[in-house]
Amino acid sequence: MYAVLCATSEEMTALRAVLRTEGEAERHGPTAVWRGRFAGEEIVLAQAGIGKVNAAAAATLLLSAFGARGLIFSGVAGGLNPALEVGAVLLAERLAVHDYGIISAGRFTATDYGVIPVGAPELSTLKPVSEEVQGALRRLARTLGARSSISPRLGGIVTADYFLNCGQTRDELHERLGADAIDMESGAVAVVTQAWSRPLYVIRTLSDLAGEDSHVTYGEMAAMAARNSALCVEALLEILAEPPIRGL
C-alpha cells in the first residue's frame, strides 16, 4: 500500500478530485486520513497539516499504523530557481532540511539534520534520493511530457519552517545549495522514510517565486499548483503499480 501525503486543504481537495477515496476522514491526532483504492490496491490519503512537525508525525503514522510501503508527498512550493515559472512541476531528486544547525557569533550555520551541530560541517549540498526513486521519477517525467501539457523536471528541494517572502534569501539558497524550490515538509518526511528504509516520492508545483510578492501569487495560484501535483501523483501510482523495468 502506498500513502499519499499533503499539507493543506487545497492540496487534499485536488488529490481527492483525482484519486477515489471512501467515506469520511479518520482522525489520528492532527492527521486526517481517507482510504481508497487505485489499480486494485488499497491507498490512503493523509492531510498532515503545515510544517515539519506535522509532516513527520503523519509520515510516522502512515508507516507504523498503516504499514505503507512507500510515501508520496504532493503539494505546492516556492520557486528558488530563476529559470522556473509559477506552475512548473518539480520532482525531488535531492532533498534537505536547511533550517537546522548552529548559531554562533550572531550567524546561523546550517548543518545536516539530526547531527550534533557543534563542529559539524556546513550544509553545502542536498542529499540525493535513492536510485529506485530517481528511476520512477525520471519515468514519470518522460510519461507526462509525452502525453500531457505537464512537463515535470527533476530538481532539488529544501525544507524549512517558514514561508519564504524574500528575494535575497531565495537567491542565496539557490546559489549556495543548488536548490530549485523550498517547502515546509518534504525534508522532514525524508528523514522519517530514511529511518524506516522506505521510498519517498516528492512532487511539488510552484505556486509562487518566493520573493517579496510571493504571498500574493500563492493565494492566486495554490489551487492550480495543487491540481498539477495531484495529476502527477495519479501518473506516478500507475507507474508504481507496474512491474519494475530494468535500466531505469
Side-chain angles (χ1 to χ4, degrees):
M1 177 191 73
Y2 283 96
V4 184
L5 292 85
C6 67
T8 69
S9 59
E10 293 91 347
E11 292 164 348
M12 180 53 71
T13 296
L15 285 169
R16 295 192 68 198
V18 172
L19 305 173
R20 298 178 62 182
T21 57
E22 302 168 359
E24 298 296 321
E26 304 173 17
R27 299 298 311 195
H28 298 266
T31 308
V33 178
W34 288 261
R35 297 178 184 265
R37 301 192 70 81
F38 188 91
E41 297 283 339
E42 182 184 5
I43 61 169
V44 295
L45 309 183
Q47 183 179 331
I50 297 171
K52 293 185 298 185
V53 172
N54 285 330
T60 302
L61 169 75
L62 294 170
L63 294 170
S64 60
F66 287 84
R69 68 174 183 262
L71 303 182
I72 302 169
F73 207 110
S74 173
V76 307
L80 302 178
N81 187 337
L84 299 178
E85 298 179 348
V86 170
V89 179
L90 196 64
L91 312 177
E93 64 176 351
R94 294 171 290 118
L95 291 162
V97 172
H98 86 91
D99 61 347
Y100 176 92
I102 183 171
I103 296 177
S104 180
R107 178 179 180 268
F108 171 73
T109 300
T111 68
D112 283 339
Y113 190 84
V115 304
I116 297 175
V118 178
E122 183 173 2
L123 180 70
S124 59
T125 59
L126 310 186
K127 185 174 183 179
V129 300
S130 69
E131 291 185 5
E132 171 193 0
V133 172
Q134 287 187 41
L137 294 179
R138 290 184 186 127
R139 187 175 174 195
L140 175 61
R142 291 196 301 269
T143 298
L144 287 173
R147 78 182 193 191
S148 76
S149 60
I150 300 175
S151 297
R153 60 171 286 174
L154 276 68
I157 297 177
V158 290
T159 294
D161 269 326
Y162 60 77
F163 183 90
L164 184 56
N165 201 56
C166 173
Q168 180 180 349
T169 303
R170 172 195 63 203
D171 296 342
E172 187 270 336
L173 287 172
H174 175 63
E175 180 178 354
R176 178 167 60 88
L177 297 175
D180 299 293
I182 183 170
D183 68 20
M184 300 174 72
E185 296 87 21
S186 299
V189 177
V191 172
V192 175
T193 52
Q194 180 182 5
W196 282 76
S197 299
R198 297 289 190 272
L200 169 65
Y201 307 86
V202 175
I203 301 171
R204 295 284 189 172
T205 301
L206 303 190
S207 59
D208 60 89
L209 300 180
E212 281 73 12
D213 62 349
S214 58
H215 62 291
V216 176
T217 57
Y218 173 84
E220 296 173 346
M221 305 303 291
M224 173 279 297
R227 176 164 175 76
N228 278 358
S229 291
L231 291 171
C232 293
V233 169
E234 181 182 29
L236 176 61
L237 285 170
E238 292 174 357
I239 290 170
L240 295 176
E242 298 174 0
I245 298 176
R246 294 185 181 276
L248 287 180

